[in-house]
Amino acid sequence: MDANKNKERDEVFSQSVKAGKRTYFFDVKETKNGERYLTVTESKKCFDEAKGNFFYEKHKIFLYNEDMDKFVNGLQAAIHFIKTGEKLTVEDSAEETQAEEKDILDTINFDLF
């Protein structure tokens, strides 16, 4: 029972995304000292022919706060290449991210808040 309480306390946000045969879980958790980190879990339903039953194959990564900006920049560079065929350096991706964030901030009407 205590393990469930700790799990509920540690997880502060959860989002699942179904994509075909896979489901991705984005879980923000919190350490005992209040630092947040992200776990990304890929879950895929598989069939074990030998046993004749289904099971879920899971893969998980942990992304800590100090690595998030570099991770996002690398991910954006990879996505940009997939969509356009153009290679970006991580630095180019960081500049593109900053420009997008500025565009978003420019469209927000802060007088409403």
Side-chain angles (χ1 to χ4, degrees):
M1 181 98 172
D2 288 338
N4 288 339
K5 285 183 183 179
N6 285 339
K7 183 178 179 184
E8 290 173 12
R9 185 196 69 199
D10 294 344
E11 192 172 285
V12 295
F13 174 84
S14 185
Q15 176 71 46
S16 65
V17 176
K18 293 186 184 222
K21 294 181 180 181
R22 292 176 173 84
T23 303
Y24 298 97
F25 298 92
F26 301 91
D27 300 312
V28 177
K29 297 185 179 186
E30 200 168 86
T31 63
K32 289 181 181 179
N33 62 355
E35 291 185 31
R36 293 183 179 163
Y37 63 97
L38 175 68
T39 64
V40 180
T41 306
E42 173 202 36
S43 179
K44 180 180 174 185
K45 190 173 185 179
C46 300
F47 185 73
D48 183 342
E49 292 184 24
K51 294 182 180 178
N53 60 358
F54 287 96
F55 67 97
Y56 288 92
E57 183 177 274
K58 295 182 181 183
H59 301 98
K60 187 177 283 199
I61 64 167
F62 295 85
L63 183 59
Y64 297 94
N65 194 30
E66 62 268 17
D67 303 327
M68 285 187 190
D69 290 337
K70 290 179 182 178
F71 180 89
V72 168
N73 292 337
L75 179 61
Q76 287 177 329
I79 291 169
H80 181 81
F81 179 78
I82 290 168
K83 290 183 176 183
T84 67
E86 298 173 5
K87 291 183 180 179
L88 288 179
T89 65
V90 172
E91 292 79 17
D92 291 338
S93 181
E95 289 174 11
E96 190 174 291
T97 300
Q98 290 171 349
E100 289 173 2
E101 288 172 353
K102 184 181 181 313
D103 289 344
I104 291 168
L105 288 174
D106 288 345
T107 62
I108 297 173
N109 183 352
F110 288 100
D111 295 335
L112 297 174
F113 296 103

